[in-house]
Amino acid sequence: MRLKRPSSALLAAVLICGNIITLTWLFTRQQIADSSVGKMSWQSRQGRELWDTSALPLSIDHNYYLVDTALATHKPHTRQRRLTIGIPTIYRSSTGHSYLMTCLDSLLSQLEPEQRTDVLFLIFVADTEAVKRQKVTETIAGRFSQYIEADQLRVIQAPSDFYPEFINVREAFHDAESRWKWRQKQCVDYSFMMSYAYQLSPYYLQLEDDVTTVPGYLNAIFDFIDEQEKPWIMLEYSLLGFIGKLFHDESLPRLAWMFRTFWQDQPVDFLIRYFVALSGLKETRVIRQPTLFEHIGVQSSLEGKAQNIQDQLVSESSQLKRYDGNNPPADVSSNMQVVGTYFPRNCYSRAPGAFWALAPHRNDHLTLSFIQPQSLRKVVVETGNEPNVQGEHDILTNGVLEAAFESQDSLYRELATFVNGKVAYEFGTGSDRVIGLRIRVLQDLQTWLMVREVAVWTQD
């Protein structure tokens, strides 16, 4: 069994290597040319030093840049969230605001009530025309007033003096004027968004306004962060462009600086690749599989541009969850060798995903340790990468489901045996509380093992 990889991975690597050389040359050229100048200027492009973020408005008055609507002029809360999600948007003449409304409906509806205070949504209205800006903001305020009032959603805009005069100095892409101006403005838009988002939360996630998401996406985002054992600059929850890219908060000033410095030279989705490559880390792409955000838009934010692109890793059918277990909080671990980013927790998360392991050996295991002892009603475990299909692959052919009970000194005892890669077990009424569940391999496997789903129902 082979991992799916982006079909353009090799081409992308070649392009990035070539452009890193170009970007390094630009850094060197600018530092030499600007060595005698101490002040940054848009038009002259002078006085820039590598990662000098002092010219950016990082001490932003977060209230000042809120769009001036009746609901958005309150004082924002000072409490820090776990995650900030930035979404740039414009008024599309052919679709109105339908993309953005669908996007926000999807993101907000897939959050549990207690999770809503963990996330701050930043909607950046990027239109330069006041009439279009007003149409977008009024629609948002009318549909999502409760989230704005609770400061769970902010609608922001950049002041006109934040923008340079867009002059096509380098015609590297041989584009029409409308296209290079749109691309250059996007760089500056993103620079403002990241300047505004700085210090609002430990992590920042960039989306676009024409995506939808999956159940359990927020837990899946944090689970993937927690699984990382090596340093990282950017985590990806989508293969496409600048969708689903997550950064540490401390990276935002440097990202904002890069976008605001090289706005004439490269598009934003190229610049983030250079930003990661310049970090010196060996792993330049860390992608959660399957991805969490699906691109639904056809009309780009550039007038007249069609953008009918799909993420080939989003919501793979073999990794969609089939059961409605309530899955109480648990630590999920395994001593098996993980394939790629198919971590153990994926099979227990409500988001699409699975645990994938290389050829397990006898007595290898996947273990759920509940945070609190649980009175369980039912457990279902399914393995294999093609549910309900004859000849499915990567199933557990010889294994058992075990449980450790609160009153039995944490010793595991067998509950049921896997049959055709699946096991289901129902606990009797009044059963002792369970502190852990374990899936144990009884015989060496010659193939990989995919644990597609672990669903747990409690008595409550």
Side-chain angles (χ1 to χ4, degrees), residues 24 45 93 100 110 121 143 154 193-194 200 216 230 242 265 338 348 363 373 389 398 402 414 432 444-445 455:
T24 304
R45 297 163 61 86
S93 58
L100 178 62
Q110 299 295 357
F121 293 92
R143 179 85 74 90
R154 296 185 193 174
M193 289 185 66
M194 292 184 176
L200 291 179
K230 298 178 181 179
F242 216 133
D265 302 304
V338 177
Y348 193 63
N363 287 327
V389 175
N398 194 352
E402 301 173 324
E414 181 178 326
D432 192 13
D444 290 0
L445 294 180

Side-chain angles (χ1 to χ4, degrees), residues 269-449:
D269 49 347
F270 282 24
L271 288 174
I272 56 167
R273 299 299 170 196
Y274 309 149
F275 181 81
V276 175
L278 286 167
S279 70
L281 296 181
K282 183 178 180 180
E283 298 292 335
T284 58
R285 297 202 72 175
V286 186
I287 305 169
R288 199 255 185 203
Q289 299 184 50
T291 48
L292 300 178
F293 301 99
E294 183 167 13
H295 183 259
I296 61 169
V298 175
Q299 182 186 341
S300 168
S301 56
L302 173 61
E303 187 74 27
K305 178 188 176 186
Q307 187 116 323
N308 191 13
I309 54 176
Q310 300 295 322
D311 184 340
Q312 65 190 46
L313 293 183
V314 68
S315 302
E316 295 175 342
S317 61
S318 63
Q319 295 175 47
L320 294 173
K321 298 304 193 292
R322 302 176 58 230
Y323 299 98
D324 60 351
N326 53 310
N327 289 21
D331 292 325
V332 185
S333 61
S334 176
N335 64 342
M336 294 179 252
Q337 184 176 348
V338 177
V339 175
T341 60
Y342 291 85
F343 296 113
R345 177 164 285 279
N346 290 3
C347 65
Y348 193 63
S349 168
R350 302 316 306 148
F355 169 50
W356 216 352
L358 290 172
H361 301 290
R362 182 174 180 270
N363 287 327
D364 281 354
H365 61 87
L366 171 71
T367 301
L368 278 66
S369 301
F370 295 114
I371 305 303
Q372 299 291 336
Q374 300 291 328
S375 297
L376 300 187
R377 178 166 57 88
K378 183 180 177 181
V379 177
V380 173
V381 181
E382 289 193 350
T383 67
N385 63 359
E386 292 293 339
N388 302 323
V389 175
Q390 291 293 327
E392 58 187 345
H393 304 286
D394 301 346
I395 67 171
L396 181 55
T397 54
N398 194 352
V400 292
L401 173 66
E402 301 173 324
F405 293 88
E406 189 177 30
S407 64
Q408 297 182 9
D409 299 325
S410 302
L411 296 176
Y412 279 90
R413 67 177 182 84
E414 181 178 326
L415 298 180
T417 301
F418 280 79
V419 177
N420 296 325
K422 178 178 177 179
V423 67
Y425 181 82
E426 295 193 13
F427 293 81
T429 304
S431 295
D432 192 13
R433 295 199 300 176
V434 176
I435 61 175
L437 294 171
R438 184 167 70 185
I439 299 161
R440 186 163 59 88
V441 179
L442 296 182
Q443 183 179 3
D444 290 0
L445 294 180
Q446 301 304 312
T447 63
W448 295 3
L449 169 64

Side-chain angles (χ1 to χ4, degrees), residues 22-307:
T22 302
L23 194 62
T24 304
W25 175 78
L26 284 170
F27 273 130
T28 306
R29 182 191 69 176
Q30 289 160 5
Q31 290 184 87
I32 293 173
D34 301 337
S35 59
S36 62
V37 183
K39 185 175 180 180
M40 180 175 176
S41 164
W42 278 118
Q43 285 72 26
S44 64
R45 297 163 61 86
Q46 294 176 334
R48 294 175 303 196
E49 297 180 4
L50 186 62
W51 304 129
D52 178 12
T53 62
S54 60
L56 291 175
L58 296 178
S59 298
I60 274 182
D61 180 347
H62 290 120
N63 195 42
Y64 181 77
Y65 295 109
L66 291 171
V67 170
D68 186 19
T69 68
L71 287 173
T73 54
H74 67 286
K75 185 176 181 180
H77 298 178
T78 57
R79 178 181 53 79
Q80 192 179 67
R81 323 302 166 90
R82 296 182 66 196
L83 175 68
T84 300
I85 298 179
I87 306 173
T89 190
I90 67 162
Y91 179 84
R92 290 174 171 84
S93 58
S94 64
T95 62
H97 333 292
S98 59
Y99 287 158
L100 178 62
M101 298 302 105
T102 301
C103 173
L104 290 176
D105 280 336
S106 177
L107 290 167
L108 292 167
S109 66
Q110 299 295 357
L111 292 178
E112 299 295 334
E114 64 272 13
Q115 293 179 322
R116 291 175 183 169
T117 57
D118 290 337
V119 185
L120 175 62
F121 293 92
L122 287 184
I123 312 303
F124 176 76
V125 183
D127 288 288
T128 56
E129 297 178 35
V131 173
K132 291 182 178 179
R133 241 183 359 251
Q134 189 67 19
K135 287 181 179 179
V136 175
T137 55
E138 286 179 353
T139 302
I140 297 171
R143 179 85 74 90
F144 302 104
S145 61
Q146 68 182 97
Y147 298 98
I148 297 174
E149 290 173 336
D151 196 34
Q152 296 163 7
L153 187 153
R154 296 185 193 174
V155 185
I156 62 173
Q157 61 186 359
S160 59
D161 60 3
F162 189 83
Y163 293 92
E165 180 182 353
F166 295 108
I167 302 174
N168 188 20
V169 176
R170 298 180 62 222
E171 297 185 3
F173 297 93
H174 306 288
D175 288 330
E177 180 178 344
S178 60
R179 187 178 180 89
W180 59 252
K181 282 187 174 181
W182 165 78
R183 190 174 62 237
Q184 291 177 352
K185 181 180 180 297
Q186 190 177 53
C187 284
V188 185
D189 288 344
Y190 282 33
S191 177
F192 180 82
M193 289 185 66
M194 292 184 176
S195 298
Y196 185 98
Y198 180 51
Q199 295 185 331
L200 291 179
S201 62
Y203 304 103
Y204 175 82
L205 178 73
Q206 183 77 27
L207 293 179
E208 293 183 4
D209 67 351
D210 54 356
V211 301
T212 57
T213 190
V214 296
Y217 76 93
L218 187 62
N219 284 337
I221 287 172
F222 288 115
D223 288 346
F224 193 61
I225 293 172
D226 292 341
E227 295 283 0
Q228 303 308 311
E229 297 180 349
K230 298 178 181 179
W232 55 271
I233 296 296
M234 177 176 73
L235 300 182
E236 300 187 53
Y237 299 90
S238 170
L239 289 179
L240 304 179
F242 216 133
I243 298 173
K245 306 300 186 277
L246 183 134
F247 305 93
H248 294 282
D249 180 67
E250 56 263 31
S251 293
L252 296 185
R254 286 177 293 164
L255 274 166
W257 178 91
M258 177 173 267
F259 296 152
R260 187 165 172 171
T261 300
F262 294 101
W263 57 276
Q264 291 178 316
D265 302 304
Q266 297 287 330
V268 287
D269 49 347
F270 282 24
L271 288 174
I272 56 167
R273 299 299 170 196
Y274 309 149
F275 181 81
V276 175
L278 286 167
S279 70
L281 296 181
K282 183 178 180 180
E283 298 292 335
T284 58
R285 297 202 72 175
V286 186
I287 305 169
R288 199 255 185 203
Q289 299 184 50
T291 48
L292 300 178
F293 301 99
E294 183 167 13
H295 183 259
I296 61 169
V298 175
Q299 182 186 341
S300 168
S301 56
L302 173 61
E303 187 74 27
K305 178 188 176 186
Q307 187 116 323

